[in-house]
Amino acid sequence: MVETLGGAESIAPFFSPRSVAIIGASSKQKKIGYVIAKNFIESFAGKLFLINPSAQQILSHKCYPNISSIPESVDLAVIAVPAKSVKEVLEECGEKGVRTAVVISSGFKESGKDGAKMEEELVSVSRKYHIRMMGPNCMGVFNSTTMVDTLFIPRYRLKRPPQGKIAFISQSGASGIAFLDWAAGERIGISKFASYGNAADVDEADLLEFLATDEETKVIAMYLEGIKEGRKFAKIAREVTKEKPVIVLKTGVTDSGAKAALSHTGSLSGTDEIFNAVVKQTGMIRVYDWEEMFDIARALAYQPAARDNRVAVITNGGGAGVMIADELEKHGMALARFSEETTSKLKEKFPPHVTLSNPMDLGGDADNERFREAIGAVIDDDSVDSLILTCIPHTPAIDLESFVDMVVDTKGKNNKPMIVCLPGGRVSLEVRELFEENGIPTYPTPARAALALSALVRYGRLKNGS
Ligand code: COA
C-alpha cells in the first residue's frame, strides 16, 4: 500500500474512537451541537464528553467547560462552534493530546478569501500538533458498527442504514445524506460513511486508503467534486481497486458545475478528460448519478465478480428478455451459448413452447419448479459466467411465497453472480425487497439490471488482469 502522511492507521480513530468529545454541544434542540450530542448519547458505547462553556448538563449528561478540563484522554474531537472560534478550540485539542478532529463548522475556504486564510490557519494548527482533521464544512462520520455518528440530521428525519458492506465517502454532506437515506429506506447496509467537506487535511485519498484495509467494507463508493492531489489519489486508487471495487461519481464536469463546486467546497474540478484518464488508469468504475451509484454498489457488495462477459437470461416474459438482450450488448456483454447438455436436459423436462435458446423464455405458465430447473442447469453450464433472472411475478403459476427462497437457495453456486430484474409496481416491489434482504440485487428495469451486472463483469476483468 502507498504511504501517505499518517497512513491508514491515522484515519481509524475517526471511525472507532474509544472516547469522543463534542465541542459546542448544546441543549437547544434546533442546534447542530444538540443533534450530534443526542446521537452519541443514544448509541455510542465508548466514553463521551460534552463541552459547553456554560451548561452543567445536556440531556442529563455532565458537561465540561473546555477540553482541557476533561480528566481523561480523548481520541476524537467533534467541533461544532462558529468558524471564528475553531482555531482556538483546535489548539486546545492539540495541547490536550487529541490527534483526530472532525470540524463540522462552515465559513472557511468555501466562503471566500478570508475563509481560505482561516482554513490555512487550521491546517497549520493540525500540522503543529499532528492532528488528523476532517473538514471543515463537513458532516463527518457514521460507522454502523461503533455508532460513531456526527451527522447533524436528527434520526427521526434520517433513519440510519443498517450494518452492511458498502462504504460511502462524499465531499458533499447533502449527497451523503441522500445516499444514506436511500440506503436506509431500501434497507441496504452501510459499513462506514464520511463526508469530508473542504478536505483541508483528510482527503478522498486518505479515506480510500483506510477503507481498503477495513474488513467490514467490500465496496467503496465516492462522491467527488474535485481531487486535492491528483497523483496521490491516482496512486492510491490504483492500489485499492486491486483489493476492492471503487465506484466514483464525479461532478463539476461543466463550466457551471465547476463554478458551483468552487463555492460549495472550494474545489477545483479539473477537466473531465483528465478525470476519465484517471478512471481508466486506476480501474475505478465511473457513474453519473446517485441511482447508478446505488445500483452498482449493491451488486458489487452482494455478488461475486463475473469470470467473463457471457450472460444467461432466464425469463417468463419474452419482451423483458429482448430488452435485457439489447441492454447487455450496449454494455459490452454477450448472451451465452448454452451447451448441448444444458438444452437437451431441459428439453426433456419442459413443455415444447419453452424457448431453450438465450434468453430462455420459460413461458407465461412457468411455475417455481420450471424456474428452479432452468436456473440450476444454466449455473452449472461452463459457457455461462453470470445470470440475469427477469421475472414477471404476477403470473398465476408462480408461488410468490416460496419463489424468493427457491432463488436464494441457488445464490453463490459455482461463484457465479446473479442479478434479478423484476419490473412492475406494488407486487414486484414487495418481492424486490425480499430479494434484497437476502443479498440478491434486484432492479425494476432491464437497463438498470444490465448496468449493475456490467460492473461485476468489469471488476472481474480487472481482477483477472484481462
Ligand atoms: N467551546 C465550547 N462550546 C462553545 C464554544 C467553545 N469555544 N463556543 C461556543 N460554544 C457553544 C455555544 O455556547 C453554544 O452552546 P449553547 O447553545 O448552549 O449556547 C454551542 O457551542 C454552539 O455555538 P453557537 O454560537 O450557538 O453556534 P451555532 O450552533 O449557532 O452554530 C455551527 C455553530 C458550527 C453549527 C455554525 O457555525 C455552522 O458552521 N453551521 C453550518 C454547518 C454546516 O453546514 N456544515 C457543513 C455540513 S455539510
Side-chain angles (χ1 to χ4, degrees), residues 24 26 28 31-32 52-53 80-82 89 104-106 137-138 152:
S26 171
K28 299 180 184 96
K31 288 204 179 181
I32 283 179
N52 181 294
V81 299
V89 165
I104 304 286
S105 321
S106 302
N137 187 32
C138 73
F152 59 75

Side-chain angles (χ1 to χ4, degrees), residues 22-28 30-34 51-55 58 64-67 79-86 88-89 92 103-108 110 136-140 152 171-174 195 197 264-265:
I22 298 166
I23 306 172
S26 171
S27 53
K28 299 180 184 96
K30 296 244 177 286
K31 288 204 179 181
I32 283 179
Y34 171 85
I51 318 279
N52 181 294
S54 46
I58 291 173
Y64 295 83
N66 47 49
I67 194 146
I79 302 175
V81 299
K84 61 179 177 0
S85 311
V86 174
E88 194 188 323
V89 165
E92 265 190 77
V103 181
I104 304 286
S105 321
S106 302
F108 293 90
E110 80 287 357
N137 187 32
C138 73
M139 284 268 176
F152 59 75
Q171 205 160 3
S172 150
S195 131
H264 178 215
T265 47

